[in-house]
Amino acid sequence: MWLKPDEILLKNAFKLWVTEEDNEYFVLQRRRGYGEGGGGLTGLIVGTLDTVLDSTSKVAPYRILHHTPDSQVYWSIACGVNKEEIVQHWEWLQQTIMRTLSVFDSSEDITSFVQGKIRGLIAEEGKTSLVLEEDPEKFREALLKFEKWFELPPKEKLVTYYSCSYWRGKVPCQGWLYLSTNFMCFYSYLLGAEVKLIISWDEIWKLEKTSNVILTESIHVLVHGEDHYFSMLMHLNETFVIMEQLADYAIKRLFEKESFQREPELSDPLKITKRGLEAHAKSEQFRTFFRLPKEENLLEVHESFLWVPFSHFNTLGKICLSEGYLCFASQDGSQCHVIIPMREVINVEKPDSGNRALTVCVRGKRALRFSEVRDYQRLVNSIRSRCGISASPQHSASSQAIRGECQSLINHFDDNPEDVTLMVGQKGSSKAVSTEALMTVFHPQDVENLDPKMLKEKMKEQSWNIHFSEYGRGTSMFFTRKTRDLIVRGVPEALRGELWMLFSGAVNDMATHPGYYSDLVEQSLGTSTLATDEIERDLHRSLPEHPAFQSDTGISALRRVLTAYAYRNPKIGYCQAMNILTSVLLLYAKEEEAFWLLVAVCERMLPDYFNRRIIGALVDQAVFEDLIRENLPQLVEHMTDLSFFSSVSLSWFLTLFISVLPIESAVNVVDCFFYDGIKAILQLGLSVLDYNMGALISCHDDAEAVTILNKFFDSVTNKDSPLPSTVRQASVGSTDKASHLNVDISELIREAYEKYGNIRSEDIESSRKRNKLYVIQTLEDTTKQNVIRVVTQEVQFSPSHLDGLYNLFKRQHLLCCYWTMKSPALLHHDPSLAYLEQYQLGFQQFSVLFSLLEPWAFCTAKSGVSLWVFRLIDENQDGLVNFKEFCYALDTLYSGSFTNKLKFLFKLHLPPAFDLPQDGVIKKSPERGRGKVDLQAYLKQWQNEILKKEETIKDLPRINQTQFIQFSKTLYNIFHGDPEEESLYRAVTHVTSLLLRMEEVGRRLQESSSPSESTKPSAADEEEPSTEEASPTPESSDASRSRNSPAAGTDLTEMQWSFSFEQVLASLLNEPTVVRFFDRPVDVQTKLGHARVAQLKLKANQ
């Protein structure tokens, strides 16, 4: 690797370098302690210095120095991990540079030319891989160490590195922590004690910051039950955040198949950088806080003051700019933020350049004035370019005219409100789509009704109207503490749909996708999938007590929304609880609005909730348990096992309390959820447990605790609800409410905010990331245990050996996905399938893993044998092998009897396994995880497995001449390298000659018989077509026809030349050397250990 020229005064300080080659201008040196003559005390000292000191010129085993004859100064210009690499650089210097140097007159010119040339080479290399690094030269040095010490595949991208201590028991080892795209690595070398650690991110169970008496601050990593601690970090928080981001990136990419198409900094695992991860994290926080679509990325951040008209002062905060939105969030504790879609901006003015201010004019006679913006001109240009507003050179002279145009435009929209709808991109809804919220249809408000509840409802509406007049209404409304206070008191029925759309960000999704829902409804109409079947089954279970869903109007709207969403997002499709949530959304929002609210909930606000494994809900349950430990210590002391609360609270999270509370109370919870997100649900959950603390502590079992909570939820009412009794939801639990006084939902929510409102959203997101690792690994471990439980009944491997094999099998799948986003192997992983089918290997993956675990060295034609084994165990011929099939092959070769091992090898040389020509192409490889699951096919396959009778040696067809020759070659390859190789070769030769003589005798006897008998096929030959008919391969069918057809050739006896398995078995049983070889036991544990070490190295050498 070329290095930035660095001056060295002593070329051999302390005699640590040995000169290998030199000439007039360059010197090639080897580090003492490496290569020939290395080791000893010198090697220990040098190795320790290399690890501790942060200098590649000291660490690299080889280097090249430049010097001139009349100077004592040397310049390091290149280094190398091995001799081959440094020799390439040396030869390039000899062939390219040496000839040019003779034309220079002075040594200064020579040195200047060499340095310029080397810098040019470095710059050329850096264009591809190092251009995004903050300090390319220093990063090159770290990359050299990383490649040398860990020998990972060249594609592996180093992200960053830190100096730290790794604790082995109570002893710290000082070294370097390297964080790459797929691995976390540590290296230490102190006086001969080498510590090397390689952990892949997808294996991590727990990642957290900890502290104790010995370790004041450290990072704890849990992997497969082993604890690893890293401390003495200069930037511990920064290190932990990067580790957390890389672990989350691996989980999303490998287990959730996220492609990051909208985020170029993460779309290619070969180009991941620390800067890219930081940008991704900031964009994610930006989108979460302001509830923006996933397409939005944070582009610019400017600190400024914003004039707040309702408070009459400037509030300090930050302007955040993305492709489609201008957002502001205060930083002075006022909890004020505002979101301005670029489509709403009609002009940007610079009224006063003295205080670096700008005014953003938006529709609705609104203007926001920002001041003290450091780079205000850049911000103005950015906003104008995104809004399509051209900046006039005579802007100051014509500002009055522009303001006049803005005012006339505002007046126009005030007089013609329908044009605003067209301006933001709304199209007329399809006639098939309902344009009214179901509540307005089935429960229209009576304006003349003056009962107390309706009067209170009118007062709420008036409070909100006053709020709108002060803080604005619509997408550019100010969000403040007062907004939250109004939410906690309860949202008026008439405004609920509008505010849900605003707080969730769904209003922006709908505005930027005009006509999308109508088109989706038309496209999904009449489709039949597993999702649509489940939707039809659950339609009449969605709020069945409500009149809206006792009619075709409500049911049809619910069907359209759920089917359209399943069509839009087949990854989620349909999940139970979506019907309950969507029913409530349809009550208060128009049909299209309900669809976009569902999109906001499923894809942004509750990520990973609505899928087969409900990972998001499980993660939030783990977060809930953490909050219980922090906030309800009395409950924790009484109930040490908090998993009970996880099982009870699952429906709370999945349905936002809709399934456990009466509908008139549940909608108040939904109000808070759309404003504060999952934080509102967690707070309310804590409040419910706190309210019932005494009863829960005194209960004796889980069933009693469940009864207590059900009675409590039945007693929750909404005294301010204007809904009539016909609309209210009937009690879902016990009707005995004597033991519980009625609890008003508004009071319960208010207490939740007062007691637990200090829970920060940032802490919840951090806890989500931490617990997600554990939840994912727990689910993966459950899959593994179920697979092992099934397979252990079929093979002789011990559970511990099966555990090791499964880890290797799964890792082989993941290795193909580490360095690309479009690996075909990703199609072979589908968590929705049965446990055995979740991880499967294609031929290329199988071949690599089989070569590591095969009991014998197949030597030449190894790929051919791997292909035959793959075809043999791939029973359904889908081009994929599951773990059970893989274990069957290894179990036979490891632990099978001599007869079974020989039978397995014999079958490798029969169709469909031995299928010439051997192009290695699997002809059938269907796409997985799409369409409806054929349950009948699964049941039929299961029945066939149960009824499948044991195959006997008499069931095997005869082996023909070509197949027998290859069978003999395979035996020779198996025996190659064995201590008894010569004896084994002689035994195979003897058996082969014996079988040929037997065949010759049989052929002579056949020739001496009558001509009519000679043309009659033998019993063994008659059996052969039936076996071959079971194989769909065209080659085997052609071979069968040519073998049994008299017209196939003139030499009929040559075509009928074949052996039965009994003949081969009997002949080989007479060779003790062969029997002894196949009966030799295999050390499975050692084999697994070698495979674990070699698996990654083999990938690196490919």
Side-chain angles (χ1 to χ4, degrees):
M1 182 173 71
W2 299 110
L3 296 176
K4 182 181 177 181
D6 189 20
E7 185 176 330
I8 297 175
L9 294 177
L10 298 174
K11 72 168 183 177
N12 199 11
F14 306 110
K15 297 184 178 180
L16 297 179
W17 292 92
V18 179
T19 299
E20 296 272 301
E21 294 187 49
D22 63 349
N23 56 39
E24 190 177 359
Y25 298 108
F26 301 102
V27 180
L28 190 156
Q29 294 183 326
R30 171 176 54 84
R31 184 75 161 163
R32 193 179 294 276
Y34 293 93
E36 298 177 3
L41 181 60
T42 305
L44 293 178
I45 296 173
V46 172
T48 302
L49 288 172
D50 290 348
T51 306
V52 175
L53 298 178
D54 184 21
S55 175
T56 304
S57 60
K58 298 184 181 70
V59 171
Y62 298 93
R63 71 178 182 181
I64 297 175
L65 305 179
H66 163 66
H67 73 105
T68 53
D70 56 351
S71 174
Q72 295 299 317
V73 178
Y74 288 76
W75 301 83
S76 64
I77 60 172
C79 62
V81 175
N82 51 56
K83 192 166 185 177
E84 290 75 14
E85 180 184 358
I86 204 69
V87 165
Q88 286 182 356
H89 287 58
W90 179 261
E91 290 177 350
W92 185 87
L93 290 170
Q94 293 281 82
Q95 298 170 6
T96 309
I97 301 296
M98 285 295 293
R99 298 176 183 176
T100 310
L101 298 183
S102 59
V103 303
F104 294 99
D105 297 329
S106 66
S107 57
E108 290 81 4
D109 293 341
I110 292 174
T111 301
S112 178
F113 173 78
V114 171
Q115 291 180 357
K117 190 68 177 177
I118 299 302
R119 288 194 180 97
L121 292 172
I122 293 173
E124 194 64 32
E125 289 179 355
K127 284 181 181 179
T128 55
S129 60
L130 304 173
V131 69
L132 297 177
E133 303 302 336
E134 295 177 358
D135 189 347
E137 183 60 31
K138 194 173 181 181
F139 195 84
R140 286 167 62 86
E141 298 177 359
L143 181 60
L144 185 69
K145 297 180 190 177
F146 178 70
E147 293 174 347
K148 168 195 165 187
W149 286 334
F150 303 108
E151 300 177 329
L152 294 172
K155 292 181 178 180
E156 184 63 16
K157 176 68 173 66
L158 178 64
V159 176
T160 188
Y161 59 98
Y162 299 95
S163 173
C164 72
S165 291
Y166 169 64
W167 290 78
R168 301 182 70 184
K170 297 181 180 180
V171 180
C173 302
Q174 183 62 33
W176 292 89
L177 178 67
Y178 294 87
L179 307 179
S180 65
T181 305
N182 299 293
F183 301 96
M184 177 181 69
C185 306
F186 176 83
Y187 186 85
S188 173
Y189 185 89
L190 295 173
L191 297 177
E194 183 183 54
V195 178
K196 187 185 294 185
L197 187 69
I198 302 176
I199 298 172
S200 57
W201 295 114
D202 56 86
E203 295 176 331
I204 293 178
W205 282 66
K206 189 179 290 186
L207 180 64
E208 59 185 357
K209 287 188 289 187
T210 60
S211 61
N212 53 41
V213 177
I214 300 175
L215 305 176
T216 53
E217 269 193 313
S218 63
I219 296 175
H220 172 219
V221 180
L222 177 65
V223 182
H224 296 308
E226 295 183 10
D227 294 297
H228 305 276
Y229 291 91
F230 302 90
S231 66
M232 308 288 285
L233 286 147
M234 290 286 291
H235 307 284
L236 186 136
N237 289 330
E238 176 190 307
T239 307
F240 178 75
V241 168
I242 294 293
M243 293 172 72
E244 199 175 50
Q245 290 169 351
L246 286 168
D248 185 60
Y249 178 64
I251 291 295
K252 287 181 177 178
R253 191 164 58 90
L254 300 176
F255 295 116
E256 299 174 6
K257 303 180 184 178
E258 181 68 46
S259 60
F260 300 95
Q261 292 180 354
R262 300 186 183 100
E263 299 176 76
E265 65 270 9
L266 298 183
S267 60
D268 186 354
L270 305 183
K271 296 180 180 178
I272 299 297
T273 63
K274 179 181 172 183
R275 188 182 301 172
L277 288 171
E278 291 171 348
H280 166 71
K282 289 177 181 177
S283 293
E284 204 168 43
Q285 292 173 359
F286 168 68
R287 288 191 297 264
T288 302
F289 183 83
F290 292 109
R291 305 281 168 77
L292 299 179
K294 286 186 175 182
E295 298 81 8
E296 299 300 316
N297 290 307
L298 183 61
L299 301 178
E300 298 177 23
V301 178
H302 301 267
E303 193 171 273
S304 75
F305 287 90
L306 171 64
W307 172 253
V308 183
F310 48 85
S311 299
H312 303 289
F313 72 89
N314 283 312
T315 180
L316 176 65
K318 287 186 177 180
I319 300 171
C320 301
L321 193 68
S322 70
E323 294 91 339
Y325 296 87
L326 172 69
C327 306
F328 177 88
S330 65
Q331 294 180 296
D332 57 4
S334 62
Q335 298 181 5
C336 168
H337 71 271
V338 63
I339 305 165
I340 307 170
M342 293 296 185
R343 64 180 183 274
E344 298 288 326
V345 176
I346 55 178
N347 193 35
V348 183
E349 300 177 5
K350 295 187 292 182
D352 185 5
S353 60
N355 61 357
R356 296 171 295 181
L358 65 143
T359 302
V360 179
C361 301
V362 297
R363 295 194 183 95
K365 299 182 181 179
R366 296 283 308 282
L368 289 87
R369 186 176 186 275
F370 299 96
S371 59
E372 298 300 329
V373 184
R374 178 174 297 177
D375 197 355
Y376 76 102
Q377 185 59 55
R378 177 188 173 193
L379 178 59
V380 169
N381 294 337
S382 297
I383 298 173
R384 284 175 174 169
S385 64
R386 283 169 175 77
C387 298
I389 302 170
S390 59
S392 172
Q394 296 83 20
H395 177 73
S396 58
S398 58
S399 59
Q400 189 65 37
I402 293 175
R403 278 195 288 269
E405 291 177 11
C406 293
Q407 189 60 47
S408 64
L409 187 62
I410 291 169
N411 295 335
H412 171 76
F413 283 126
D414 287 343
D415 298 334
N416 303 278
E418 66 278 1
D419 288 358
V420 178
T421 305
L422 297 175
M423 196 72 176
V424 298
Q426 296 291 344
K427 284 185 180 178
S429 300
S430 170
K431 292 181 181 179
V433 176
S434 175
T435 57
E436 293 292 335
L438 294 179
M439 194 64 81
T440 62
V441 176
F442 289 89
H443 178 50
Q445 289 192 8
D446 186 359
V447 180
E448 297 180 358
N449 188 351
L450 298 179
D451 66 50
K453 289 186 177 181
M454 284 305 299
L455 286 174
K456 196 160 187 178
E457 187 76 4
K458 294 297 180 183
M459 290 174 62
K460 282 185 183 179
E461 288 186 26
Q462 185 63 27
S463 298
W464 275 97
N465 289 329
I466 294 171
H467 184 78
F468 291 148
S469 65
E470 292 182 6
Y471 298 89
R473 186 169 187 171
T475 52
S476 56
M477 183 180 82
F478 282 92
F479 295 80
T480 64
R481 285 178 180 171
K482 190 173 180 181
T483 312
R484 178 181 279 116
D485 292 341
L486 288 173
I487 290 288
V488 172
R489 291 182 213 163
V491 174
E493 298 280 320
L495 297 176
R496 188 158 269 138
E498 176 188 344
L499 293 177
W500 284 0
M501 289 290 290
L502 179 63
F503 297 151
S504 66
V507 64
N508 293 316
D509 290 323
M510 192 169 79
T512 54
H513 295 81
Y516 177 84
Y517 176 67
S518 299
D519 295 340
L520 213 57
V521 169
E522 293 177 6
Q523 293 168 13
S524 61
L525 191 66
T527 57
S528 177
T529 63
L530 182 62
T532 57
D533 291 347
E534 292 177 344
I535 289 169
E536 289 297 326
R537 185 186 62 207
D538 288 346
L539 282 177
H540 296 278
R541 303 175 186 174
S542 310
L543 302 186
E545 301 88 356
H546 199 286
F549 299 100
Q550 295 171 359
S551 70
D552 186 60
T553 303
I555 293 295
S556 298
L558 181 61
R559 178 188 292 112
R560 287 192 295 270
V561 172
L562 292 174
T563 305
Y565 185 79
Y567 188 85
R568 163 192 165 87
N569 192 345
K571 186 178 178 181
I572 292 178
Y574 171 76
C575 181
Q576 282 190 341
M578 287 174 68
N579 60 317
I580 298 174
L581 177 61
T582 309
S583 301
V584 175
L585 299 179
L586 282 167
L587 290 178
Y588 294 97
K590 299 174 184 178
E591 187 176 321
E592 184 177 8
E593 293 174 342
F595 169 79
W596 287 113
L597 284 168
L598 184 64
V599 169
V601 171
C602 294
E603 298 177 12
R604 288 201 304 272
M605 302 185 72
L606 296 179
D608 300 323
Y609 262 61
F610 301 99
N611 54 38
R612 297 292 176 186
R613 302 201 291 178
I614 56 172
I615 291 172
L618 296 176
V619 170
D620 282 344
Q621 284 179 301
V623 174
F624 188 50
E625 287 186 21
D626 290 343
L627 292 174
I628 292 174
R629 292 187 185 94
E630 293 174 14
N631 297 279
L632 302 173
Q634 287 181 279
L635 197 60
V636 176
E637 289 175 9
H638 178 73
M639 304 182 72
T640 53
D641 183 12
L642 298 181
S643 59
F644 161 74
F645 295 111
S646 295
S647 59
V648 169
S649 64
L650 181 62
S651 62
W652 304 357
F653 291 101
L654 282 173
T655 65
L656 308 179
F657 284 93
I658 295 171
S659 62
V660 293
L661 287 174
I663 186 65
E664 66 274 9
S665 300
V667 290
N668 285 38
V669 179
V670 179
D671 296 339
C672 299
F673 167 75
F674 278 124
Y675 190 84
D676 274 321
I678 194 63
K679 176 177 178 283
I681 305 301
L682 293 169
Q683 288 176 179
L684 185 60
L686 291 173
S687 186
V688 168
L689 297 181
D690 189 17
Y691 195 94
N692 295 276
M693 176 81 74
L696 290 172
I697 289 177
S698 62
C699 67
H700 299 90
D701 53 35
D702 292 350
E704 188 178 348
V706 170
T707 304
I708 289 169
L709 291 173
N710 284 340
K711 286 184 177 180
F712 171 77
F713 287 129
D714 292 342
S715 69
V716 176
T717 61
N718 187 347
K719 62 183 181 181
D720 297 331
S721 175
L723 299 180
S725 57
T726 55
V727 174
R728 297 187 180 217
Q729 186 177 357
S731 176
V732 293
S734 172
T735 57
D736 181 18
K737 298 186 181 181
S739 59
H740 266 287
L741 297 175
N742 286 346
V743 181
D744 184 63
I745 186 64
S746 298
E747 289 298 316
L748 188 64
I749 291 174
R750 184 182 58 78
E751 287 182 13
Y753 272 92
E754 287 179 356
K755 289 186 177 181
Y756 309 109
N758 58 346
I759 297 173
R760 298 169 65 245
S761 298
E762 294 82 0
D763 295 336
I764 292 174
E765 289 302 319
S766 178
S767 183
R768 271 179 162 180
K769 288 182 180 179
R770 183 175 65 252
N771 284 290
K772 185 176 182 179
L773 292 173
Y774 189 81
V775 168
I776 289 282
Q777 296 296 357
T778 301
L779 292 172
E780 290 293 311
D781 191 62
T782 302
T783 298
K784 178 172 71 173
Q785 297 305 326
N786 281 290
V787 169
I788 290 175
R789 191 178 299 114
V790 171
V791 175
T792 193
Q793 302 172 9
E794 308 285 336
V795 298
Q796 299 181 45
F797 287 120
S798 66
S800 63
H801 290 159
L802 284 174
D803 187 277
L805 279 171
Y806 185 90
N807 291 336
L808 288 170
F809 189 87
K810 177 182 171 181
R811 193 183 194 192
Q812 190 61 42
H813 161 82
L814 294 176
L815 278 174
C816 297
C817 312
Y818 277 169
W819 298 282
T820 178
M821 283 289 187
K822 299 179 180 179
S823 171
L826 284 173
L827 298 175
H828 307 164
H829 176 226
D830 189 349
S832 66
L833 295 177
Y835 290 121
L836 269 174
E837 308 297 324
Q838 287 187 20
Y839 285 103
Q840 302 188 88
L841 299 183
F843 169 66
Q844 296 299 331
Q845 299 167 288
F846 168 83
S847 179
V848 173
L849 186 57
F850 185 74
S851 68
L852 294 172
L853 293 171
E854 61 192 8
W856 313 301
F858 285 111
C859 205
T860 57
K862 183 183 294 185
S863 61
V865 173
S866 298
L867 177 61
W868 303 334
V869 173
F870 183 83
R871 287 174 175 169
L872 178 63
I873 63 179
D874 181 19
E875 295 182 357
N876 58 357
Q877 295 187 340
D878 64 347
L880 299 170
V881 167
N882 63 34
F883 183 67
K884 181 180 177 182
E885 295 166 337
F886 181 76
C887 286
Y888 160 74
L890 284 184
D891 183 61
T892 303
L893 297 177
Y894 279 22
S895 310
S897 64
F898 174 80
T899 302
N900 286 337
K901 289 179 181 178
L902 194 65
K903 183 170 73 171
F904 188 85
L905 292 173
F906 189 84
K907 289 169 69 175
L908 291 183
H909 300 83
L910 294 171
F914 188 78
D915 193 5
L916 298 176
Q918 299 171 24
D919 54 5
V921 176
I922 306 299
K923 299 175 178 61
K924 293 169 62 179
S925 184
E927 293 187 14
R928 312 186 64 77
R930 296 190 178 182
K932 297 178 70 172
V933 178
D934 192 349
L935 298 178
Q936 294 294 330
Y938 272 111
L939 291 172
K940 188 175 182 181
Q941 181 181 350
W942 183 44
Q943 184 181 23
N944 291 338
E945 289 181 0
I946 294 175
L947 299 176
K948 184 170 61 177
K949 64 185 183 71
E950 186 69 26
E951 184 184 54
T952 65
I953 59 176
K954 293 184 179 179
D955 296 328
L956 294 173
R958 296 174 69 86
I959 192 169
N960 63 29
Q961 180 178 1
T962 304
Q963 295 162 351
F964 180 74
I965 292 172
Q966 188 58 57
F967 175 75
S968 302
K969 288 181 179 179
T970 301
L971 289 177
Y972 281 125
N973 289 327
I974 287 174
F975 300 149
H976 180 73
D978 191 84
E980 297 184 275
E981 179 180 353
E982 191 174 341
S983 301
L984 291 165
Y985 279 0
R986 283 200 299 269
V988 173
T989 304
H990 179 260
V991 168
T992 304
S993 60
L994 178 63
L995 288 170
L996 288 172
R997 286 200 298 271
M998 290 171 59
E999 179 63 23
E1000 182 67 24
V1001 171
R1003 201 161 52 214
R1004 288 178 180 175
L1005 289 173
Q1006 192 176 22
E1007 289 173 355
S1008 62
S1009 61
S1010 63
S1012 61
E1013 290 179 352
S1014 66
T1015 59
K1016 189 182 299 182
S1018 64
D1021 290 335
E1022 287 178 354
E1023 291 178 6
E1024 193 171 359
S1026 64
T1027 305
E1028 294 182 352
E1029 284 174 7
S1031 169
T1033 54
E1035 292 88 347
S1036 59
S1037 302
D1038 295 341
S1040 175
R1041 285 194 297 270
S1042 63
R1043 251 198 321 272
N1044 294 299
S1045 173
T1050 55
D1051 194 352
L1052 181 62
T1053 58
E1054 184 71 13
M1055 297 303 296
Q1056 291 179 339
W1057 191 87
S1058 62
F1059 298 115
S1060 68
F1061 177 71
E1062 294 98 318
Q1063 291 175 300
V1064 177
L1065 175 63
S1067 303
L1068 288 173
L1069 280 172
N1070 290 323
E1071 300 295 334
T1073 312
V1074 177
V1075 175
R1076 195 163 54 246
F1077 174 84
F1078 281 105
D1079 286 343
R1080 191 182 302 160
V1082 178
D1083 188 344
V1084 181
Q1085 196 62 41
T1086 303
K1087 203 77 177 174
L1088 293 176
H1090 290 161
R1092 276 194 296 270
V1093 174
Q1095 192 175 32
L1096 202 54
K1097 290 185 177 179
L1098 195 63
K1099 185 71 179 179
N1101 296 328
Q1102 286 182 346

